[in-house]
Amino acid sequence: DLLEAMRHTDILAPPTDCLAPITAELVEAGLRKEYDADFYAAATRDAEVHGGDPFIVEAGIAYGGEIPAEGSVELLRFANRVPLVYQRGACATTDVIRGIGWRNYGLDQPGGSGMPNGPAVISIHVASTNVPFTSESKDAIANVPAIEDEIELAVREAARELKSYLNKRRSMQQRREKQDVLGRILPEMADKVSEVTERPRPDIDAALARIMNNVSVEREVDGETVTLVVENHSDVAETVEITDILTVEPTDLSEGTVVDMDGEWFVQWNPEIPSGDERELTYCAADDAEFEISVGGVETEKLTVNA
């Protein structure tokens, strides 16, 4: 009866106020401070128990940028915030990293096992009231299944973000290549169509935005009335951050805000455009006004600006 009751009793998680985790935010901040990379991710697992002692595992990944691309990734090991410098090959953290299939996360791994190669840094921190070291020198963490499982889960959690980043970057690269090809072909097609039909040359920017499913921003000026036409040709709603910098003070804004900064006026909008919809943003300015537009909130590869 006692054994059966233990099996069905929901045991409370161990208290963690005795532990000193770094936290995912500070793990990422530390990587940002030490490495000039393109991507950062970090994860902190919930507390688990080994031998009656609670422990927490944290992991972080930095990728790209100035990190050397040749050779194996750099592995940073910590136990209770203390760096482990020696006996890397005898440490459980190293064994876990070697056992993960890194090809699934976008890193090269010759033979499908072992330390991955590429411009990446992996940081692992184990916080516990009793870290199981391999020896009295406290240079390596012992191969305890419970701790190894948590190390793997923490690393995979951060690695999934890396995989999403690399997939998105690859997609953006393919999109840029497609847009470059269309940018060379469409002008020739437009010239030929204009020549054959003896009509004015069609608007290439608008056509390119529709073909690429881009968000397009186009300026129309009629006397003192300025209209920014924002069209969303993508399949998802987009929130576009538009700033128009003027040399004269604008009036009669349809929406948005105006900020005066040392003789320049910044007109700012943040419209949310549903898929397949458009929005017109208008204001009035003198005929001699000069404009400079800045558009954010949408990846450059998904943006067409004719303003």
Side-chain angles (χ1 to χ4, degrees):
D1 291 343
L2 183 59
L3 180 59
E4 191 66 22
M6 289 180 176
R7 288 173 175 169
H8 290 87
T9 300
D10 186 13
I11 306 299
L12 294 176
T16 58
D17 53 0
C18 55
L19 302 178
I22 300 174
T23 72
E25 292 78 11
L26 292 181
V27 169
E28 182 176 329
L31 291 172
R32 289 181 180 275
K33 176 178 178 294
E34 296 297 328
Y35 298 93
D36 184 7
D38 297 328
F39 168 83
Y40 304 89
T44 297
R45 297 284 302 168
D46 293 334
E48 291 293 339
V49 179
H50 159 65
D53 298 306
F55 69 92
I56 291 177
V57 175
E58 301 171 295
I61 296 178
Y63 179 89
E66 299 298 323
I67 301 175
E70 298 78 17
S72 299
V73 301
E74 183 176 354
L75 177 60
L76 307 178
R77 302 172 297 129
F78 298 88
N80 286 335
R81 302 193 177 192
V82 177
L84 307 180
V85 181
Y86 304 106
Q87 299 186 30
R88 190 184 79 163
C91 188
T93 57
T94 305
D95 292 338
V96 171
I97 297 301
R98 288 172 174 167
I100 295 176
W102 285 100
R103 291 178 178 176
N104 295 329
Y105 300 104
L107 292 180
D108 181 35
Q109 192 176 30
S113 62
M115 291 297 291
N117 296 333
V121 175
I122 302 174
S123 174
I124 299 174
H125 175 233
V126 178
S128 177
T129 55
N130 184 20
V131 178
F133 292 107
T134 57
S135 64
E136 290 78 5
S137 62
K138 298 184 178 181
D139 290 323
I141 298 174
N143 296 91
V144 177
I147 295 179
E148 288 181 321
D149 290 345
E150 284 299 304
I151 291 174
E152 180 174 350
L153 290 172
V155 171
R156 286 187 182 275
E157 187 172 334
R160 281 194 294 271
E161 296 185 37
L162 173 62
K163 180 179 180 179
S164 298
Y165 165 77
L166 293 177
N167 287 341
K168 183 177 180 180
R169 192 176 71 168
R170 191 178 302 111
S171 174
M172 290 297 103
Q173 176 63 29
Q174 294 172 348
R175 191 183 184 92
R176 279 194 298 269
E177 293 173 357
K178 179 181 178 181
Q179 191 158 318
D180 289 343
V181 171
L182 290 174
R184 294 193 301 269
I185 294 176
L186 285 182
E188 298 181 10
M189 293 178 61
D191 292 337
K192 183 59 67 176
V193 169
S194 177
E195 178 184 341
V196 171
T197 62
E198 297 182 351
R199 294 183 178 182
R201 188 175 186 272
D203 183 6
I204 298 301
D205 291 329
L208 182 61
R210 289 193 295 271
I211 294 172
M212 294 299 301
N213 296 326
N214 280 2
V215 175
S216 68
V217 181
E218 184 172 1
R219 186 192 307 276
E220 298 175 358
V221 181
D222 182 9
E224 294 188 350
T225 302
V226 180
T227 303
L228 293 176
V229 181
V230 186
E231 296 181 277
N232 183 8
H233 300 288
S234 69
D235 54 0
V236 296
E238 298 281 3
T239 299
V240 190
E241 301 170 1
I242 302 175
T243 302
D244 213 5
I245 306 173
L246 282 74
T247 55
V248 299
E249 183 175 6
T251 59
D252 299 332
L253 270 72
S254 59
E255 56 181 288
T257 59
V258 179
V259 178
D260 181 7
M261 297 183 64
D262 297 330
E264 288 187 325
W265 284 265
F266 289 67
V267 189
Q268 298 176 323
W269 300 272
N270 291 282
E272 182 176 351
I273 316 295
S275 174
D277 203 353
E278 69 174 49
R279 181 78 60 83
E280 292 188 354
L281 312 171
T282 63
Y283 62 87
C284 293
D287 293 339
D288 59 347
E290 296 181 2
F291 313 98
E292 182 179 349
I293 195 168
S294 173
V295 183
V298 180
E299 293 91 343
T300 305
E301 294 81 2
K302 295 183 178 181
L303 191 62
T304 300
V305 179
N306 183 21

